[in-house]
Amino acid sequence: MACTNCSTGKDSSGTPKGCKNNGTCGTDSCNKLTVFDWLSNMSYPNGDEPFDAVEVRFKNGRKDFYRNTEKLTLSIGDIIATEASPGHDVGIVTLTGELVKVQMKKKKVDAKSTLLKVYRKATQKDIDIWQDARSKEDPMKVRARELAIKLNLEMKISDIEFQGDGSKATFYYTANDRVDFRQLIKDFAREFSTRIEMKQVGFRQEAARLGGIGSCGRELCCSTWLTDFRSVNTSAARYQQLSLNPQKLAGQCGKLKCCLNYELDTYLDALKGMPDSDTKINTVKGDAYCQKIDIFKGLMWFAYASNSANWYVLPVEQVKEIVALNKAGEKAKELENYAIEPEVGEEKNFQNAVGQDSVTRFDQPKKKKRPAKKRVPNKTNAPNNAAAPAPNNSQSNKNQTNNNSTHRKNAPKK
């Protein structure tokens, strides 16, 4: 994600210019799970003060609410030091004013509850310590995974987050079952010489923290804009007539894709006036069962129980009439009398309006392979010192016999 104001040009070295705000611009849309403060330019009525809580973002979109007890003048993008246990943490302000109250209501946080405090705006020393601690996270994650593998623990350490003052490190991990990591914490404390906190997250939360590209070619919804994870089950795929293929229905987290719920309400509204997918109709030729439904075209495919290979297409209105006829105790006619031919789309002849050549011009025709010709050695061009092949024994004996017979014919008579 990026701001619409970011420049796409490049400097002399080829590096994109960008907006040069490094994610701290007024819109804050360079960061995932961001909220636009559309009340920032509005003035408060006389006597009203701004809401004294702010929303602060930490690593990988983790957000929390803090009370501005010192009445600091804060705006989006300010780096502040907040209360933590122990020490302090460093984060970036992502929302101020009345919209914080709306966000707290959405996250089911009481606006009058006791919140942690905002200490001050971060100094340069706070930022240096914070950046130094963040630089240790990647090599520490590699070493932490090695220690977990050494103890044969069935867990995956997905991410590490240092506190702003570097006094504590939070290890995020995923596991299918309960893990006894008491010895692992001791090894971590001895290896890294810091306070250790282990926090288990779900597989969807792990994908949201790490981010990635989905099968649709876009960034993961959970890491960009989706803030709540609703349960997804296979019935959502059945209602949408999708193939129950786990490899296609599962996302990068290994669970069912959240986008299966996006169009589910539309399909459920369309299915209200249609018979169920397990509808059975009685005909004079036998019982027929529903095989397939086209929800938006209003078509249903039926096949006889004795011959499930041949399917017949029936409109939904016709199926309703047959079902009402069966409820009255009568049998319908054969499916052949009600079936319709599915519409075949007309072949579209696209014209070349631009005047360009066909795309198939890039396809080179395959060349036919010619049979290889046998090379005959050229005796005239052969070198004089080439060794002649040794004659066969049978051929040499035959030549010797012919020479002896010729010698006898030419010999003088006695």
Side-chain angles (χ1 to χ4, degrees), residues 256-302:
L256 291 176
K257 294 180 180 178
C258 297
C259 55
L260 291 177
N261 286 337
Y262 296 168
E263 299 179 356
L264 181 60
D265 294 338
T266 305
Y267 279 88
L268 292 177
D269 292 339
L271 286 171
K272 286 181 179 179
M274 297 185 67
D276 297 334
S277 59
D278 56 351
T279 301
K280 182 183 74 172
I281 57 178
N282 298 324
T283 64
V284 295
K285 196 174 179 180
D287 295 339
Y289 297 89
C290 179
Q291 304 292 333
K292 178 185 173 183
I293 297 178
D294 193 329
I295 299 175
F296 297 107
K297 288 185 178 180
L299 301 177
M300 300 181 70
W301 280 257
F302 283 86

Side-chain angles (χ1 to χ4, degrees), residues 114-371:
T114 303
L115 301 176
L116 298 177
K117 301 177 182 179
V118 176
Y119 282 156
R120 61 185 181 276
K121 287 188 176 181
T123 61
Q124 186 61 41
K125 183 179 179 181
D126 295 332
I127 297 175
D128 292 340
I129 296 174
W130 177 43
Q131 294 295 336
D132 183 61
R134 290 288 299 271
S135 63
K136 299 178 182 178
E137 293 174 354
D138 289 337
M140 183 183 292
K141 181 168 59 176
V142 176
R143 180 57 181 162
R145 289 176 176 176
E146 294 177 355
L147 295 175
I149 294 173
K150 186 177 180 181
L151 295 176
N152 297 324
L153 297 178
E154 296 295 332
M155 61 184 297
K156 176 187 175 184
I157 299 175
S158 58
D159 194 16
I160 298 176
E161 182 180 358
F162 256 105
Q163 196 169 281
D165 56 357
S167 61
K168 185 176 71 173
T170 304
F171 290 76
Y172 295 91
Y173 71 95
T174 56
N176 294 322
D177 300 323
R178 184 179 179 276
V179 180
D180 185 8
F181 47 75
R182 288 176 292 181
Q183 182 61 36
L184 183 63
I185 292 179
K186 296 179 182 179
D187 295 344
F188 283 173
R190 187 185 308 109
E191 181 76 19
F192 305 125
S193 300
T194 185
R195 186 184 179 90
I196 303 298
E197 180 180 352
M198 304 293 294
K199 184 174 292 187
Q200 184 176 2
V201 295
F203 293 98
R204 288 184 174 178
Q205 285 78 8
E206 178 190 19
R209 290 183 63 86
L210 301 180
I213 304 297
S215 58
C216 58
R218 301 171 64 92
E219 293 184 65
L220 298 181
C221 298
C222 55
S223 63
T224 51
W225 63 271
L226 191 62
T227 57
D228 56 339
F229 297 99
R230 298 183 181 179
S231 60
V232 186
N233 47 31
T234 55
S235 61
R238 292 192 180 95
Y239 283 126
Q240 301 178 52
Q241 307 294 322
L242 297 177
S243 175
L244 298 180
N245 188 352
Q247 295 180 353
K248 293 184 178 180
L249 297 180
Q252 291 190 359
C253 58
K255 305 296 181 180
L256 291 176
K257 294 180 180 178
C258 297
C259 55
L260 291 177
N261 286 337
Y262 296 168
E263 299 179 356
L264 181 60
D265 294 338
T266 305
Y267 279 88
L268 292 177
D269 292 339
L271 286 171
K272 286 181 179 179
M274 297 185 67
D276 297 334
S277 59
D278 56 351
T279 301
K280 182 183 74 172
I281 57 178
N282 298 324
T283 64
V284 295
K285 196 174 179 180
D287 295 339
Y289 297 89
C290 179
Q291 304 292 333
K292 178 185 173 183
I293 297 178
D294 193 329
I295 299 175
F296 297 107
K297 288 185 178 180
L299 301 177
M300 300 181 70
W301 280 257
F302 283 86
Y304 291 109
S306 58
N307 186 9
S308 60
N310 294 329
W311 292 8
Y312 301 92
V313 186
L314 276 71
V316 174
E317 293 77 10
Q318 189 65 55
V319 176
K320 291 181 180 179
E321 294 178 2
I322 296 175
V323 171
L325 193 65
N326 294 152
K327 288 183 178 180
E330 300 180 9
K331 291 187 178 181
K333 299 180 181 179
E334 295 87 351
L335 294 179
E336 292 83 347
N337 297 330
Y338 305 106
I340 61 174
E341 294 293 333
E343 297 181 0
V344 181
E346 299 180 358
E347 185 179 356
K348 297 181 180 180
N349 297 324
F350 296 96
Q351 296 180 357
N352 189 2
V354 184
Q356 297 178 349
D357 296 334
S358 175
V359 181
T360 57
R361 69 184 187 276
F362 297 107
D363 300 333
Q364 297 181 357
K366 295 183 179 180
K367 297 181 180 180
K368 296 182 178 180
K369 294 184 178 181
R370 297 181 179 179

